[in-house]
Amino acid sequence: MAISFGGRAGAAVAQAFLLALLARSLGVDDFGTYAVTYATCMFGFGVLDYGLTVRALAARGIEDVRGLFGALAIFKAAAFLLAMVVVAIILSTGLVASGPPQLLLFVSVLSAAGDAFGNTSLVIQQGERRTWSATGWQLIRRLLALIPFAFGLTLTTAFACLAILGISGVVIFFVLAIRRAGRPTPLMSILRANHSSFLVGLGPNIAQLDSAALGATAGAQVAGLYGASTRLAAPMNLVVVSMMQVAVPEMAGDTDPNRRAQIFRASRRTALGLAAAFLLGSPLAPVITEIMLGDQFGEAAPIVGGVMVAAGFIAISQAYLGWFNATHIPKSVGYSMLCSAVLRVIACATIGAIWGPWGLALVLPVTAVLTLTALHIIWLRTRSTMA
């Protein structure tokens, strides 16, 4: 846990610098384009993953692990090729102006692929309890992407940063997956075994479309403010994410129900403490926005405050999801995640367009509370049968 947290803390600091430097280099409008493209691609990569990444974290409890990794490599390769084909079609039709806009589209897609695949690499290694390697590669990716900014805050350096993030994430994943892959598990077996995992992952993936939906209803500038604010949530959740990527393999590989329950309760207590810290720190949102994003993103302060409050509730939800991933995922969990994600996208697109940043600041905590409430009720009803 200490190794995982330490590595993630370093990666989170590097990611925070990356976000700030990207925002300042691209400006509000271009950052809005990047945020919409990135969110849309992350949705697509998440859907095409079909829950395989979720299952990889609990690989210790899976009999045909090499078959799982073989299927994962094939699914990811197909997703990457499809993304590149779609980009090529868009660029060839002239829908995007030539020059920097086309390059921004390409590196945004590449960056999303790198983050999606890089997260899977991290999960694979955490599932095998290779914590040093998992955190090390994650930190290296973030630090490498900072190098271009030594040459100034320009569009060129921002593009170089996104390209490095993308290429490194894709390469690391395929090196890891191919070394572990065996004969892929048959497609029908994958579809049956991963249905619940797919639904659980589909919810957060749909939620990433909120930036795209907001851009369509409120414009690129509001989408840029929102995209920059919500990207700050990833560093905030590093404690719970680190803990769950250690706890889930332990719970999955432990047959003692009492031990599993102890690990879950410890993770939930940590998440509750983190939620309290975020709630108390949310009044500092204007200061955080000024430091991290600069003057041009000053209007995003209410959204940053909402992100901080929502991050606390999401952290508690992650503890419950860790329990379900390590034991059994009821279909009701997947449906709950799906409904809350759709609600978030619709609410962002409508309320954000009407009331702007202050409306968005309210949407995020409300949807996070609804999700947590649903997961807690499901856990109360099923905990005795899944221990």
Side-chain angles (χ1 to χ4, degrees):
M1 173 60 191
I3 296 168
S4 179
F5 173 71
R8 279 188 169 272
V13 172
Q15 184 177 11
F17 274 108
L18 281 173
L19 176 63
L21 296 174
L22 279 173
R24 293 169 186 266
S25 301
L26 294 175
V28 176
D29 289 341
D30 282 346
F31 193 91
T33 301
Y34 159 70
V36 169
T37 304
Y38 180 92
T40 304
C41 290
M42 290 298 285
F43 167 75
F45 287 129
V47 171
L48 295 174
D49 178 82
Y50 201 73
L52 289 170
T53 296
V54 174
R55 292 201 69 203
L57 187 58
R60 294 180 65 202
I62 298 175
E63 183 175 350
D64 185 19
V65 176
R66 292 181 63 83
L68 171 67
F69 288 139
L72 188 58
I74 290 177
F75 273 58
K76 290 294 187 183
F80 185 73
L81 289 176
L82 178 61
M84 292 298 102
V85 169
V86 171
V87 170
I89 292 174
I90 292 175
L91 296 182
S92 64
T93 55
L95 295 176
V96 179
S98 60
Q102 288 188 342
L103 188 55
L104 176 60
L105 173 67
F106 176 75
V107 295
S108 297
V109 173
L110 189 58
S111 171
D115 280 351
F117 290 25
N119 180 62
T120 303
S121 302
L122 179 69
V123 167
I124 288 173
Q125 294 173 94
Q126 289 282 183
E128 298 173 341
R129 297 195 295 183
R130 298 176 68 238
T131 308
W132 276 108
S133 178
T135 55
W137 281 115
Q138 184 190 39
L139 184 58
I140 288 171
R141 282 188 64 230
R142 298 297 179 188
L143 293 177
L144 283 176
L146 284 171
I147 293 176
F149 290 109
F151 299 94
L153 300 180
T154 65
L155 279 176
T156 302
T157 54
F159 292 166
C161 158
L162 294 175
I164 291 172
L165 278 175
I167 294 171
S168 60
V170 171
V171 170
I172 290 171
F173 165 75
F174 281 113
V175 170
L176 289 174
I178 291 174
R179 290 178 61 183
R180 290 158 176 75
R183 182 178 180 180
T185 303
L187 178 61
M188 292 308 300
S189 297
I190 288 289
L191 296 179
R192 286 194 299 268
N194 280 32
H195 179 67
S196 295
S197 298
F198 170 68
L199 289 177
V200 170
L202 182 60
N205 286 322
I206 289 178
Q208 295 193 71
L209 291 176
D210 51 6
S211 294
L214 185 61
T217 58
Q221 184 174 13
V222 177
L225 296 173
Y226 180 79
S229 302
T230 52
R231 290 293 299 277
L232 292 173
M236 294 180 194
N237 287 328
L238 70 100
V239 175
V240 169
V241 172
S242 300
M243 179 175 55
M244 296 319 303
Q245 292 197 342
V246 173
V248 170
E250 291 293 336
M251 287 191 288
D254 201 326
T255 57
D256 183 356
N258 293 326
R259 175 61 181 161
R260 279 181 172 176
Q262 289 173 359
I263 296 172
F264 167 72
R265 286 194 294 268
S267 63
R268 186 174 59 177
R269 283 195 300 269
T270 302
L272 286 168
L274 188 65
F278 284 155
L279 183 62
L280 293 173
S282 58
L284 298 176
V287 178
I288 295 173
T289 305
E290 173 69 23
I291 294 173
M292 296 301 302
L293 303 177
D295 294 336
Q296 58 183 332
F297 285 86
E299 295 180 44
I303 309 176
V304 173
V307 167
M308 294 182 68
V309 176
F313 294 112
I314 292 172
I316 304 172
S317 296
Q318 286 297 318
Y320 285 99
L321 288 174
W323 168 265
F324 293 127
N325 288 334
T327 54
H328 171 70
I329 305 175
K331 289 183 180 179
S332 54
V333 172
Y335 294 137
S336 298
M337 298 294 291
L338 189 61
C339 291
S340 64
V342 172
L343 175 63
R344 171 171 161 168
V345 172
I346 294 174
C348 282
T350 55
I351 296 177
I354 297 172
W355 288 306
W358 286 102
L360 294 170
L362 180 64
V363 167
L364 297 174
V366 169
T367 54
V369 168
L370 292 175
T371 303
L372 174 58
T373 302
L375 293 178
H376 180 69
I377 292 173
I378 296 169
W379 177 77
L380 288 175
R381 292 177 176 178
T382 60
R383 57 180 172 174
S384 60
T385 61
M386 295 190 298

